[in-house]
Amino acid sequence: MNIALSILALALQATPPPPPPVLATPAPSPAASAAPSPSAGPGVLVASPAAADLHPSQSQALTVANATGTIGAQLDTPVATLSVDQTSRTVTLSASTQTGRATLTITDASGASVQVPVRVAMDAGVVPSTLTLRVTGNTVDPAWLQTQVQKIVTQSAQLQSGATMQLSPFGVPGSFAPGSTASVPVPIHIAGGDQYYDVVATPTVAVTNVEAPPFVPRLLFYSDDPEKIVADGVLYRNDVTASTPAVLYFYHQNSGDRRRMLVVLRATQAPASVQLIDASAGPNADVMTVGHNVSRDFLLQKPQNEGVVVDVNPGTPYVADRFDMQNLDGAAGSIGVHVLSGSSVQVSVVAVPESVTDAEVSSYLDQTPLPGDGHRRAGAFRIDQYGNEMLAYSAGGADANTQYGANTPPPADASAGHDYGDYGVLRTLTFDLSNPTPQAATVYLYERPMGGVVRSSFLVNGSLVQVGCARLPERYQIGQPFSLPPGSNSRIVVQTMTDGGSNYPLEVGVTASPPLPSTPAMFSADGCFPKAS
């Protein structure tokens, strides 16, 4: 996989939906609060309210005070029709289907007048007042849970073109075991600028931690061919059954026009309930960081069974991930897919024009997959018996080490290519340590790059350790040293994944010789990307 060295800023903008329904009555214009009260003296016309803010086809009555004789009314721009009731002293505006601004001038027989600003506009967006989120997890990290709440609110919002949504800070439960429930209010503000009414709302997300058994993926679906997206269409597609849970690993970089990349689920025959353990990252031109974040997050989530449960129907595709990609942006993900009940589901990675909405993606799902780039980095692979190693180390003896990332998991069918780098494989290395000597011994866990620039994440006995970027084939320490008391036996369990954008193989082992305590600075002489002085 190529490594992009520049980092581009990303501005996310929602795809323009059809005009949404009215969410809330717009706030009064500033003129309303500055207007004189109806108790003003004779000869001064007063309209209440002092400004008219309407949605298309909406009507509003304005009461006129202090008028003498017959009331007249006129709009300088035909954004609405009007009628005057001389008995009730009211002027009623009925907005047309067109949006815009106008000034309403109200007069009486004495020549007195008052002007009322009129605006007809749509709301900047709409979000459901209540949302349902089902999560899984033996223990649920509050930061992860907050991200899931934010994601469901953001994805459920329908924004007008050019509108932007901001979420205010909100809290989630600090402890959320299986069977727990919570209601999480999320304050939002949708800014519409000059074209739409701002919307302020507080949808409530009802969260439940659903009991779901941990699963061991039997298949790896690998989507990295074509790696560079040069056209819209299907990048990868396969089916997941209840008896064969899988992991989808995808890694793609956009080339050329802006587009959206989607991960889509569709039930094949009947409704299905599906657990997703989703570690995705991007879009970002720094593809090395994208790949690193995917591996790190999946390492944290999968051992804890931390995911979401979604309902998938045959006629309605479920969009699990959306990436709005500019030229050279990369996006990647490692997604565990476990069908809890119902029919099998089709999982697709698809590129579509940036204007395509979720409702319109169905027309792309049955297309013939895009041609590959010739590297054959795609297909289904068997991983249920792959990636697990036991290594023994005895104090005073030779180092215990292994290399990974140079081979490929066995293909699940004849059409599969190869996965050199073991991308998407959650690997477990178990080091059995013994100290038969009468003295205490100190041992170190280390990594050694063997294929070039690499970044790494490790779960060491359940705790996350991240190793900085390394390039030279030196030994770099992973975490803290381990002390082996005399005559003792112990175990180090290491779980890790290869990073998209990094280079392999990588050696990992246990040694009594102190390795380098940390990786060098990024641009130093020994760093990943040395710069000439």
Side-chain angles (χ1 to χ4, degrees):
M1 301 181 181
N2 296 325
I3 304 174
L5 305 182
S6 60
I7 302 178
L8 301 179
L10 171 69
L12 292 176
Q13 176 174 315
T15 300
V22 175
L23 178 64
T25 300
S29 300
S33 59
S37 68
S39 61
V44 178
L45 289 190
V46 176
S48 180
D53 292 321
L54 299 96
H55 296 97
S57 303
Q58 184 183 23
S59 296
Q60 184 176 8
L62 286 75
T63 302
V64 182
N66 298 334
T68 299
T70 302
I71 297 172
Q74 184 174 5
L75 276 170
D76 64 352
T77 303
V79 297
T81 59
L82 55 84
S83 61
V84 179
D85 188 320
Q86 302 293 342
T87 302
S88 64
R89 315 303 267 175
T90 58
V91 176
T92 299
L93 294 169
S94 298
S96 68
T97 57
Q98 301 298 314
T99 60
R101 296 177 184 268
T103 299
L104 169 66
T105 301
I106 303 174
T107 59
D108 70 358
S110 71
S113 66
V114 62
Q115 290 188 326
V116 178
V118 178
R119 183 186 184 191
V120 180
M122 299 290 296
D123 284 338
V126 63
V127 64
S129 59
T130 57
L131 295 162
T132 299
L133 174 64
R134 290 173 292 166
V135 302
T136 64
N138 308 324
T139 58
V140 174
D141 176 46
W144 174 85
L145 181 58
Q146 192 167 46
T147 298
Q148 302 312 306
V149 171
Q150 179 176 333
K151 182 177 179 179
I152 194 173
V153 171
T154 302
Q155 291 186 348
S156 298
Q158 299 179 45
L159 304 185
Q160 296 285 4
S161 176
T164 58
M165 184 170 71
Q166 182 176 0
L167 278 64
S168 297
F170 62 92
V172 296
S175 176
F176 206 61
S180 300
T181 61
S183 293
V184 180
V186 183
I188 66 167
H189 175 238
I190 306 175
D194 292 334
Q195 190 172 0
Y196 305 107
Y197 292 127
D198 285 7
V199 172
V200 176
T202 306
T204 298
V205 181
V207 189
T208 303
N209 188 339
V210 179
E211 301 229 17
F215 65 95
V216 177
R218 298 180 61 185
L219 293 176
L220 167 67
F221 296 156
Y222 183 37
S223 177
D224 186 28
D225 193 349
E227 182 174 304
K228 292 187 180 297
I229 307 173
V230 297
D232 298 319
V234 175
L235 298 165
Y236 185 82
R237 182 172 58 216
N238 216 322
D239 292 345
V240 181
T241 66
S243 60
T244 312
V247 170
L248 168 68
Y249 186 88
F250 60 93
Y251 182 99
H252 295 281
Q253 185 180 39
N254 187 37
S255 180
D257 296 338
R258 292 172 58 98
R259 54 174 49 91
R260 303 178 77 199
M261 188 174 78
L262 309 175
V263 178
V264 185
L265 276 66
R266 180 172 59 172
T268 56
Q269 296 176 343
S273 178
V274 184
Q275 180 188 14
L276 301 176
I277 297 181
D278 188 346
S280 301
N284 196 318
D286 180 4
V287 293
M288 193 171 184
T289 295
V290 169
H292 179 75
N293 291 346
V294 168
S295 300
R296 177 201 63 203
D297 293 348
F298 197 76
L299 278 173
L300 290 171
Q301 293 173 224
K302 182 62 179 74
Q304 297 298 331
N305 201 33
E306 197 172 59
V308 298
V309 176
V310 300
D311 294 325
V312 184
N313 296 301
T316 308
Y318 175 83
V319 179
D321 285 298
R322 304 164 179 82
F323 304 95
D324 293 312
M325 304 177 73
Q326 302 182 69
N327 185 36
L328 300 182
D329 274 348
S334 185
I335 307 177
V337 184
H338 183 201
V339 177
L340 300 175
S341 63
S343 75
S344 61
V345 296
Q346 182 187 79
V347 181
S348 302
V349 182
V350 59
V352 300
E354 62 176 339
S355 61
V356 170
T357 66
D358 291 357
E360 298 168 334
V361 74
S362 293
S363 61
Y364 288 84
L365 298 181
D366 294 323
Q367 294 181 5
T368 301
L370 294 171
D373 53 22
H375 293 96
R376 301 191 66 235
R377 290 184 298 251
F381 302 87
R382 299 195 303 270
I383 58 171
D384 50 344
Q385 301 297 325
Y386 185 79
N388 301 316
E389 292 186 65
M390 301 281 295
L391 300 101
Y393 172 83
S394 181
D399 296 342
N401 54 51
T402 186
Q403 291 185 17
Y404 61 85
N407 298 315
T408 179
D413 55 54
S415 63
H418 52 74
D419 179 16
Y420 293 131
D422 290 339
Y423 299 107
V425 175
L426 179 56
R427 182 175 297 273
T428 301
L429 308 175
T430 303
F431 294 90
D432 283 327
L433 313 179
S434 65
N435 182 10
T437 72
Q439 294 84 30
T442 299
V443 297
Y444 302 85
L445 189 64
Y446 74 90
E447 72 163 25
R448 183 161 71 117
M450 305 296 291
V453 174
V454 65
R455 290 177 65 182
S456 300
S457 299
F458 301 94
L459 279 186
V460 181
N461 291 338
S463 297
L464 180 67
V465 178
Q466 297 188 77
V467 179
C469 193
R471 174 178 60 92
L472 300 179
E474 303 283 354
R475 293 184 173 188
Y476 297 100
Q477 186 171 315
I478 301 172
Q480 299 300 312
F482 293 85
S483 179
L484 306 180
S488 66
N489 294 282
S490 60
R491 173 172 285 182
I492 304 174
V493 178
V494 178
Q495 291 181 290
T496 188
M497 297 178 68
T498 54
D499 281 5
S502 287
N503 299 272
Y504 296 93
L506 182 72
E507 179 180 291
V508 173
V510 169
T511 180
S513 302
L516 295 172
S518 62
T519 55
M522 182 76 72
F523 301 115
S524 65
D526 292 342
C528 281
F529 307 106
K531 288 187 175 181
S533 59

